[in-house]
Amino acid sequence: MIYLDSAATTLQKPPAVLRSVLYHGQRAANPGRGGYAQALYASELVYRCRTLAAGLFDAADEGHVVMTHNATHGLNIAIRSLVKPGGTVVISGYEHNAVTRTLAAIPEVTVHVASGPLFAPQALLAAFERQLPGADAAICTQVSNVFGYILPVGEIAALCRRYRVPLVVDAAQSAGVLPVETEGWGAAYVAMPGHKGLYGPQGTGLLICGKDASPQPVLYGGTGSESRNQAMPDFLPDRLEAGTLNVCGIAGLNEGLRFVREKGAAAIGAHEGRLTRLLARLLREKCGEGVTVFAGEGQSGVLSFRPDGRDCEDFAAALADRGFAVRAGLHCAPLAHRSAGTLETGTVRVSFSAFNREEEVRAFADAVRGALKK
């Protein structure tokens, strides 16, 4: 099986990730819960991961790096900290259900969608500028999980600073392949999973809190600190980390972060971008009018296409029979499909990682051509 679904999770991990998970499963106890060697060792391990992440993602300091279960967990914290019942929020037209469902669960929230065509950042910026004044928060994905469209987060952040609107960035598809500049953007929060472009295990994630953030917990419980107090601690990261951390997962995430640092996010992103451009060209050359390819300037390692006259999910199943793992449908992002005009059909999505190769792209394009003939 040739794996082309890294936007869901990177299946191929650096070998050090798995080794670290297994090694620390037998050596790391509960961090912050004891003064004996194994507990202190676990605390040091978590601290090293925070410190590495703080450097990679421009955090104010390692204490502003919160360990989460995934990006959705972090987005829930960020959104519920900023958006109250009856509030107003501006989001891009390419947000994931991790954003839109969280907002829908808050009573009487007014959501303004700053939308624009695919690969048209100036139109998106204009839409944000029209709708930001008076908003309580803005939320923007850095990269569309459906189309690989790189949104102009830096410019949107500048608008948010001008209008004094706190910004939440969903870096689920960008962390590890694009610069993430929490303090440079002045973002209130940046959420990311550990298991995608950071090559960590599933069940890991990071929430980078801006230096002026005032986050509210969504989970309550023991933290190993201020145990007499029945309120959650008022300092980070303890305020947001109730219960035992996934220390084995964090150990693996630490190795994934080391991999990204050593390879360089820019180099990984450039590699994925080259594969995306190659696939777009090959699909158009080999398949002609049989597919609609959604590609343009400012695109990451994610590419969607639609086999004309065919059901996308059936077509993805046919590709699986030919040995290729891709995802089809709405990709938990109906708003993105509505913005792009693909809500009724969905798309077939291909997404790359540092481990994919050009020959896999060529083989996939041939497989698409073959499947179209069936």
Side-chain angles (χ1 to χ4, degrees), residues 83 86-95 99-100 103-104 106 108-116 123-141 151 156 160 165-168 335 338-339:
V83 183
T88 300
V89 62
V90 181
I91 67 174
S92 86
Y94 294 89
E95 298 308 308
V99 169
T100 57
L103 289 170
I106 303 173
E108 299 180 356
V109 169
T110 299
V111 178
H112 296 302
V113 178
S115 196
L124 187 68
L125 282 171
F128 264 98
E129 185 158 21
R130 285 194 303 271
Q131 299 186 66
L132 276 174
D136 297 304
I139 307 169
C140 187
T141 185
L151 281 68
I156 291 168
C160 288
V165 176
L167 172 66
V168 177
L335 180 58
R338 185 177 295 115
S339 297

Side-chain angles (χ1 to χ4, degrees), residues 35-349:
Y36 52 92
Q38 293 90 338
L40 294 173
Y41 179 75
S43 295
E44 175 61 25
L45 173 65
V46 173
Y47 177 80
R48 290 201 304 268
C49 188
R50 287 193 212 279
T51 302
L52 181 52
L56 285 172
F57 307 121
D58 190 29
D61 57 55
E62 66 279 353
H64 284 72
V65 177
V66 174
M67 300 296 172
T68 63
H69 305 312
N70 44 50
T72 299
H73 180 194
L75 286 167
N76 268 262
I77 294 171
I79 292 168
R80 290 180 176 275
S81 296
L82 293 172
V83 183
K84 305 305 178 187
T88 300
V89 62
V90 181
I91 67 174
S92 86
Y94 294 89
E95 298 308 308
H96 189 276
N97 277 345
V99 169
T100 57
R101 284 181 172 173
T102 305
L103 289 170
I106 303 173
E108 299 180 356
V109 169
T110 299
V111 178
H112 296 302
V113 178
S115 196
L118 273 173
F119 310 113
Q122 293 306 312
L124 187 68
L125 282 171
F128 264 98
E129 185 158 21
R130 285 194 303 271
Q131 299 186 66
L132 276 174
D136 297 304
I139 307 169
C140 187
T141 185
Q142 192 172 5
V143 174
S144 166
N145 74 303
V146 180
F147 300 104
Y149 171 26
I150 301 173
L151 281 68
V153 166
E155 291 88 343
I156 291 168
L159 290 173
C160 288
R161 294 195 301 272
R162 182 193 307 173
Y163 292 109
R164 300 184 182 278
V165 176
L167 172 66
V168 177
V169 177
D170 177 357
Q173 302 297 336
S174 57
V177 296
L178 291 175
V180 174
E181 302 173 359
T182 305
E183 288 303 309
W185 292 333
Y189 301 96
V190 178
M192 63 191 71
H195 66 96
K196 297 186 183 185
L198 303 184
Y199 297 91
Q202 294 171 350
T204 62
L206 300 168
L207 178 66
I208 315 298
C209 300
K211 63 182 178 182
D212 298 322
S214 299
Q216 299 302 309
V218 297
L219 293 174
Y220 294 79
T223 62
S225 58
E226 296 194 351
S227 294
R228 288 181 180 272
N229 188 353
Q230 290 305 286
M232 290 295 288
D234 61 2
F235 55 88
L236 292 173
D238 295 41
R239 182 164 181 75
L240 303 178
E241 292 183 350
T244 297
L245 294 176
N246 177 9
V247 177
C248 296
I250 292 168
L253 176 57
N254 188 59
E255 291 301 324
L257 292 171
R258 285 166 56 93
F259 173 81
V260 170
R261 184 180 64 181
E262 291 165 6
K263 291 288 185 182
I268 295 172
H271 169 73
E272 294 181 10
R274 283 193 295 272
L275 297 182
T276 300
R277 292 189 294 274
L278 174 62
L279 179 58
R281 178 173 64 80
L282 290 175
L283 288 176
R284 286 166 173 157
E285 289 176 356
K286 292 176 178 289
C287 304
E289 296 181 357
V291 298
T292 300
V293 180
F294 299 92
E297 294 297 321
Q299 188 168 15
S300 70
V302 178
L303 177 73
S304 269
F305 69 91
R306 183 174 57 204
D308 294 346
R310 304 280 290 272
D311 179 84
C312 286
E313 295 193 35
D314 289 346
F315 196 77
L319 292 170
D321 291 340
R322 294 168 180 263
F324 295 89
V326 296
R327 183 176 174 183
L330 297 183
H331 314 94
C332 299
L335 180 58
H337 284 281
R338 185 177 295 115
S339 297
T342 55
L343 183 62
E344 298 305 315
T345 61
T347 59
V348 178
R349 184 187 71 184

